[in-house]
Each structure stands twice: as structure tokens, then as C-alpha cells.
Amino acid sequence: YQRRVRDVIEGNRIYVPCIYALNKIDSISMEELDLLDRIPHYVPISAHLEWNLDALLEKMWEYLDLYRIYTKPRGQIPDYEAPVVMRAENATIEAFCNRLHKAIIKEFKYALVWGSSVKHNPQRCGRDHVLNDEDVVQIVKRS
């Protein structure tokens, strides 16, 4: 613990969160699985039988603190196949526009947002609006 405090103060190390993926849970008993529940930061999986791989993927998104923001072209359904991946600490509409293309923010008028970051679906938002994971965004440009 003291080493971590010193490292943070000195700023010479960065600690990255880890996840233990415990494989072959198909070959253990429920009692053994209950014992594994005491391990922090773990996800039990069976790669062979493809058990719990979705939970591992969700845990990875959570630990990496990444957001999936989906685009919605006007008059079409959202594109859930290719999200724009952003760090949670910088998930604003402006950063989202810059991830798509640097020129978009110059023509930006407002954004329509669907998801947990807004009260109403859709809601008109400005460039400083902070997005949440799995929000859907439609950019409206000046004409």
C-alpha cells in the first residue's frame, strides 16, 4: 500500500485495473464456484462451452471505463454494429463529433440524443452535453 501511495505522489507509475478470467468452470462443482466468488475482480467462464463470455465482455468495458456511442443518420435506424468508442472522462458531444471527423464540429447546430444521459428521448443537446454508455446520437448541422 505504501508503495502505491509513493508511486501516485511521484507520478512514475500507472496502475491498470485487471480482471481474472477463470476458465473451465464447466468442470467444477457449484460449491467450488461459490468459493471462487470470494475472489475480487474475477469473471468465471468456459471458453469451450462459451459460457459467460458476455459477462466477461461487459466487465472489460466497465473496467476500461469506455463508452459505446451509437450513430443515427437522419431518417434511419441507429447503427448498433459499429459504435464510436470513447473514454468516459471525455464523452461529450464535441468529443464525439471530433472522433467522427474534425470538420463536423464547425457545422454543428445541435444533437439529438437517445439514452440514459437525457430526460426525454430524443432530447436536443449542445456540444457540452455529457454522454453515457450506449447513448444514440444524431448530429444536426447548420444549413
Side-chain angles (χ1 to χ4, degrees):
Y1 177 76
Q2 291 176 351
R3 181 180 295 155
R4 279 188 168 194
V5 171
R6 183 178 62 232
D7 292 343
V8 169
I9 292 171
E10 292 175 3
N12 60 359
R13 285 198 180 91
I14 297 173
Y15 288 92
V16 179
C18 75
I19 301 170
Y20 301 105
L22 303 179
N23 195 15
K24 298 193 177 196
I25 61 165
D26 52 321
S27 63
I28 64 174
S29 69
M30 287 303 290
E31 292 81 21
E32 291 169 317
L33 191 57
D34 288 339
L35 283 173
L36 291 176
D37 250 349
R38 298 179 187 167
I39 299 172
H41 315 290
Y42 95 104
V43 178
I45 64 166
S46 171
H48 177 69
L49 298 176
E50 297 182 4
W51 289 351
N52 216 25
L53 296 180
D54 290 340
L56 176 61
L57 191 59
E58 282 301 316
K59 188 72 86 170
M60 290 167 58
W61 281 103
E62 175 189 331
Y63 273 50
L64 291 171
D65 207 21
L66 297 174
Y67 283 177
R68 295 156 286 197
I69 311 297
Y70 301 104
T71 58
K72 183 190 176 307
R74 182 181 294 182
Q76 297 179 22
I77 61 170
D79 179 12
Y80 291 111
E81 296 299 315
V84 176
V85 178
M86 303 179 67
R87 299 268 279 141
E89 72 256 5
N90 191 28
T92 63
I93 295 287
E94 183 172 3
F96 173 76
C97 289
N98 288 331
R99 287 294 305 257
L100 296 175
H101 194 280
K102 300 287 182 201
I104 292 177
I105 201 66
K106 294 174 187 164
E107 301 173 24
F108 178 83
K109 186 174 183 181
Y110 62 88
L112 292 173
V113 179
W114 291 259
S116 62
S117 70
V118 293
K119 285 184 179 180
H120 310 287
N121 285 313
Q123 184 168 326
R124 251 174 106 149
C125 299
R127 64 177 64 204
D128 295 329
H129 176 75
V130 178
L131 299 164
N132 286 344
D133 188 27
E134 299 192 20
D135 276 356
V136 176
V137 178
Q138 176 180 330
I139 303 298
V140 178
K141 298 186 214 175
R142 287 184 234 147
S143 36

